[in-house]
Amino acid sequence: MKYINQPIVKKDAYALLSGKPVYCDDLALKDCLIIKLLRSPHAHAKIRSIDTTSALRIPGIVAIYTYKDVPSSRFTLAGQSYPEPSPYDRKILDEIVRYVGDEVAIVVGTDESCCEKAMKLIKVDYEVYDAVIDFRQAIDHSVVVHKEDDYKMLCEIGNERQRNICCSGASVIGDVERVLADCDVVLERVYHTKANAQAMMETFRSYAYIDAYERLNVVSSTQIPFHVRRILSNALEIPKSKIRVVKPRIGGGFGAKQTGCCEIFAAFVTWKLKKPSKIVYTREETFTASNSRHEMQMRVKIGADKEGIIKAIDLYTLSNTGAYGEHAPTTVGLSGHKSLPLYNHVEASRFTYDVVYTNTMQAGAYRGYGATQGLFAVESIVNELADELQIDPCELRLKNMVREGEVMGQYYNEKLQSCTLDRCLLKAMEMIDWKNKPLKRDMGDKVRGLGVALAMQGSGIANIDIGTVDIKLQDDGFYTLSIGATDMGTGCDTVLAQIAAECLECDIDQIVTLGVDTDASPYDTGSYASATTYVTGMAVVKACEELKQKMIVEASVFMEVDPSHISFDGNMIYAIEDHKEMSLKDFADACFGGHKGIAMIASASHVSPTSPPPFMVGITEVDVDKATGEITLHDYVSVVDCGTIINSNLARIQAEGGIAQGIGMALYEDITY
């Protein structure tokens, strides 16, 4: 293939490197009103009163809004397909604040300075409530985070909010207790992962304006433009037809921007004042008042025989959704459904979970979406099992790992059509010279050790995620590819163009990829869940095939031959039997003129019935200081089975970026409340 598995340079590479104005704040109108948010200093409180009199006297202040000024509807900021599993549990501004950083007032001014001055003069009288901070104490705590009567759910998620349980569930295969009772070795451990910040380079930001047709236009750094349109419609209580969302280039997301954030404030201000407005979160706000990885505690019990055959795994996950339930029901599921299938040969497995509300910043999506936490727990106990049985941890995994062709009960009963996990492990062992190194080596002041872990993910959300594309042949013989998927720096604009170029047998420079505009782009659920290449990519394949067939039929009319005689090589159209030919350029120009002209446009959607998992093996070599416990990374190798690679450069940096963030999570990041 010409363009598949090639290191094609990203289409936007030179624009980004040369500092072209492509990001949200670069494009904002120069006369935008500036928005700042006054935030709660308390983890849990009721606003008795707000006095904005003095603040409104500051020169340049245009308006200050409180909970009394906003619509009363509750909604969710989760970027999920409708009906969202996440509960509708928040307002634009609420009388009750539920974490330190929760929004109290919207301050609007002509510049940042006057907004900062005004915020200092707003007087808020709080009735401070007790707070529940430790998520391990949240269930049946005396403090109830969500007591409101207008709390709303669209799906059954096992919600018991009066007990601070946002959602709960279970997935059981076989008789876990019976199988564990028959095992030679049974281990039970508890593992804890803290919240992490995605720390994308571009913080949350959005601007809004009213167009000539009195419609609300919102430009946002988001992974989910179509979901943002629905979120804004719910929050502002206006029809979707009144809202247009545009996504410019994004300076990173890593899942953080799969949740709505600041768009509601710019949209509200502009809709209210009919003037353009802009909001840009500081780094501090992004760290403390947006969303993070879910903090989780996982209790794992594992049983095996003396030979190292794993017989049963029992996993219970307790997850902290924080003050609001964005992504609470869906993230937790991956902690089990993306970890237990790695050991698919067990006789019994059980996965149960509770997700709780606390008075901490809400959690959301972050690279791995719950799988990361569950994999840490399951892989840790498998390593401890190897120690207990005195079996090499790699050999233990080779005995028990999932193989191609198996049906994975804990992965929604999907059949594994492709898997090279065993070869990934063997390759990683070779790369780090596993067989010639001890698992633990005393080096005097330090101990050097080897560690190994497996991982799996998915490719979109089966039967839910949808990708749609439009492709048009333009005069002169180039193509425009209109997509609804969001390039957040990962390069999907380029990857999808590569797929189109391969299908249409043309140069990649003949494919112009158009960015997302909810008025003009075809619907796409968004860029998350490792969906874009697999799901939207298949939509590209379908659309290109449809376009080629239309072109062949139309070329047969121009040439006055039977369509079966037509062949197309990407540059020339031939009717060999009839001794006729036509260049793509001439054909395209003919389509745009004359009585026989017809537009060459094709559209296609794709929803996958399955979510094929990619796999990864990581092996690390670390030094541990005996006196201090300090860990120094000595070496790390990784092997990824990600199926057919479209862009080798982009696939590599995706793997490298994930490794870097994983190292950060494991060794360097810390959150305390």
Side-chain angles (χ1 to χ4, degrees):
M1 289 188 278
K2 187 176 180 181
Y3 288 109
I4 303 302
N5 198 13
Q6 297 299 316
I8 303 297
V9 175
K10 285 176 63 182
K11 282 182 168 287
D12 59 357
Y14 297 111
L16 300 179
L17 287 170
S18 60
K20 292 285 194 301
V22 296
Y23 294 106
C24 185
D25 198 28
D26 299 328
L27 304 173
L29 302 173
K30 298 305 178 188
D31 61 347
C32 275
L33 294 172
I34 302 301
I35 300 170
K36 287 290 184 179
L37 301 173
L38 180 68
R39 299 184 179 278
S40 170
H42 305 294
H44 198 197
K46 180 179 180 179
I47 300 170
R48 286 198 188 105
S49 65
I50 304 180
D51 184 354
T52 61
T53 308
S54 298
L56 284 166
R57 293 196 186 107
I58 297 292
I61 292 299
V62 176
I64 298 175
Y65 299 107
T66 71
Y67 71 90
K68 296 177 182 179
D69 305 309
V70 300
S72 59
S73 294
R74 292 197 180 272
F75 57 93
T76 177
L77 289 174
Q80 298 171 323
S81 295
Y82 182 86
E84 306 97 318
S86 298
Y88 283 29
D89 58 5
R90 67 157 69 236
K91 296 180 180 180
I92 298 175
L93 296 174
D94 203 339
E95 186 179 13
I96 306 294
V97 289
R98 295 180 173 85
Y99 72 99
V100 174
D102 213 346
E103 297 87 8
V104 172
I106 304 169
V107 180
V108 188
T110 54
D111 58 47
E112 194 168 315
S113 176
C114 70
C115 292
E116 295 283 1
K117 290 175 184 176
M119 284 200 292
K120 295 175 183 177
L121 295 177
I122 298 174
K123 298 174 182 177
V124 187
D125 181 20
Y126 295 99
E127 180 183 351
V128 180
Y129 295 157
D130 290 338
V132 52
I133 303 298
D134 188 339
F135 77 117
R136 291 161 293 197
Q137 299 173 6
I139 296 178
D140 297 324
H141 196 280
S142 58
V143 173
V144 178
V145 179
H146 282 277
K147 292 182 178 179
E148 65 270 19
D149 294 332
D150 55 351
Y151 185 100
K152 182 180 174 182
M153 289 180 297
L154 305 184
C155 302
E156 173 53 50
I157 57 174
N159 178 277
E160 296 180 76
R161 63 190 173 92
Q162 298 301 333
R163 301 180 62 206
N164 286 328
I165 298 175
C166 181
C167 53
S168 59
S171 174
V172 183
I173 298 173
D175 188 336
V176 172
E177 276 80 11
R178 181 189 62 78
V179 176
L180 285 172
D182 292 338
C183 289
D184 296 320
V185 176
V186 176
L187 299 181
E188 184 172 3
R189 300 286 188 270
V190 175
Y191 302 97
H192 178 206
T193 60
K194 290 193 170 188
N196 308 112
Q198 300 89 342
M200 59 282 174
M201 291 178 71
E202 182 194 31
T203 62
F204 293 94
R205 55 202 56 203
S206 178
Y207 76 90
Y209 62 94
I210 301 293
D211 65 20
Y213 302 98
E214 297 300 311
R215 296 177 74 232
L216 176 64
N217 288 246
V218 178
V219 181
S220 177
S221 179
T222 180
Q223 298 172 224
I224 48 162
F226 286 95
H227 293 326
V228 165
R229 184 175 63 182
R230 182 180 66 249
I231 290 166
L232 295 178
S233 175
N234 290 340
L236 273 59
E237 300 175 352
I238 61 176
K240 292 189 187 76
S241 60
K242 294 283 188 182
I243 304 169
R244 172 189 178 217
V245 178
V246 176
K247 184 244 19 139
R249 307 313 298 168
I250 299 179
F254 307 117
K257 295 172 184 174
Q258 191 193 340
T259 304
C261 190
C262 60
E263 298 93 346
I264 54 174
F265 304 110
F268 171 76
V269 168
T270 292
W271 189 247
K272 192 91 169 174
L273 297 176
K274 300 298 185 275
K275 294 180 179 179
S277 67
K278 177 179 77 172
I279 184 168
V280 176
Y281 275 24
T282 64
R283 180 60 62 186
E284 182 180 355
E285 286 179 296
T286 300
F287 274 136
T288 61
S290 58
N291 64 83
S292 67
R293 194 190 294 281
H294 287 73
E295 181 180 19
M296 292 187 187
Q297 179 173 282
M298 291 140 290
R299 185 181 67 245
V300 196
K301 187 181 285 188
I302 192 168
D305 63 19
K306 293 177 182 177
E307 285 70 42
I309 303 301
I310 299 173
K311 300 288 190 178
I313 305 177
D314 187 6
L315 170 64
Y316 169 71
T317 299
L318 179 68
S319 178
N320 180 18
T321 191
Y324 301 99
E326 276 89 26
H327 299 280
T330 44
T331 304
V332 69
L334 274 63
S335 69
H337 297 310
K338 297 286 177 71
S339 60
L340 298 180
L342 287 170
Y343 303 99
N344 193 51
H345 305 159
V346 295
E347 296 174 21
S349 65
R350 179 167 57 201
F351 169 47
T352 54
Y353 62 84
D354 290 304
V355 185
V356 294
Y357 283 116
T358 62
N359 295 116
T360 63
M361 183 179 78
Q362 60 272 6
Y366 179 12
R367 207 165 193 170
Y369 200 79
T372 309
Q373 298 93 308
L375 288 162
F376 164 69
V378 170
E379 288 303 280
S380 292
I381 203 167
V382 169
N383 283 331
E384 294 198 48
L385 178 65
D387 289 345
E388 184 74 18
L389 293 169
Q390 296 185 331
I391 296 176
D392 182 288
C394 287
E395 295 302 323
L396 181 65
R397 285 172 169 81
L398 287 167
K399 281 186 177 184
N400 291 282
M401 68 172 55
V402 67
R403 305 277 176 158
E404 189 172 303
E406 295 178 11
V407 175
M408 298 173 289
Q410 286 286 12
Y411 191 59
Y412 321 110
N413 287 313
E414 281 200 22
K415 185 175 182 179
L416 190 55
Q417 302 286 4
S418 172
C419 175
T420 61
L421 182 57
D422 55 337
R423 280 164 279 173
C424 289
L425 179 54
L426 292 170
K427 180 63 177 177
M429 292 168 67
E430 175 191 322
M431 289 165 68
I432 209 160
D433 198 21
W434 178 276
K435 292 185 177 179
N436 295 316
K437 294 179 178 178
L439 290 177
K440 182 177 71 173
R441 178 154 54 105
D442 196 316
M443 300 170 65
D445 293 338
K446 296 183 178 181
V447 174
R448 178 165 292 177
L450 283 169
V452 58
L454 311 180
M456 65 177 278
Q457 237 297 334
S459 303
I461 305 173
N463 297 309
I464 292 179
D465 280 352
I466 182 171
T468 309
V469 303
D470 300 332
I471 189 160
K472 303 176 185 179
L473 175 66
Q474 303 286 5
D475 54 337
D476 216 29
F478 72 98
Y479 304 90
T480 52
L481 178 65
S482 183
I483 64 174
T486 304
D487 193 329
M488 53 178 162
T490 48
C492 80
D493 286 1
T494 305
V495 165
L496 297 176
Q498 286 179 251
I499 295 172
E502 194 70 48
C503 293
L504 295 169
E505 301 178 78
C506 67
D507 192 280
I508 193 168
D509 290 334
Q510 287 177 254
I511 307 292
V512 177
T513 312
L514 304 178
V516 185
D517 176 336
T518 57
D519 276 3
S521 302
Y523 182 81
D524 195 288
T525 40
S527 293
Y528 54 85
S530 303
T532 305
T533 299
Y534 186 74
V535 177
T536 309
M538 276 306 301
V540 172
V541 172
K542 290 179 178 179
C544 289
E545 288 303 312
E546 181 184 325
L547 182 64
K548 282 171 68 174
Q549 290 306 310
K550 285 185 175 182
M551 290 167 61
I552 286 171
V553 169
E554 192 61 21
S556 72
V557 174
F558 288 151
M559 294 182 177
E560 299 179 332
V561 301
D562 190 275
S564 63
H565 293 187
I566 298 289
S567 61
F568 174 52
D569 68 1
N571 183 47
M572 297 292 296
I573 300 170
Y574 299 99
I576 297 174
E577 298 171 55
D578 305 283
H579 307 290
K580 295 181 179 181
E581 63 180 43
M582 193 178 200
S583 72
L584 175 63
K585 180 184 183 305
D586 290 342
F587 171 75
D589 290 341
C591 288
F592 279 83
H595 68 280
K596 292 182 179 179
I598 186 172
M600 291 287 102
I601 305 171
S603 299
S605 298
H606 183 67
V607 178
S608 176
T610 61
S611 176
F615 295 92
M616 186 192 115
V617 173
I619 298 180
T620 187
E621 195 170 14
V622 300
D623 294 339
V624 182
D625 189 291
K626 292 179 182 178
T628 66
E630 181 184 8
I631 298 170
T632 304
L633 183 63
H634 178 70
D635 197 5
Y636 188 100
V637 302
S638 175
V639 183
V640 185
D641 169 15
C642 53
T644 300
I645 293 171
I646 305 299
N647 189 307
S648 52
N649 274 351
L650 299 181
R652 182 181 183 87
I653 64 171
Q654 281 294 298
E656 291 174 348
I659 290 166
Q661 288 182 314
I663 291 168
M665 179 181 177
L667 296 183
Y668 302 114
E669 297 171 36
D670 185 32
I671 287 199
T672 56
Y673 299 104

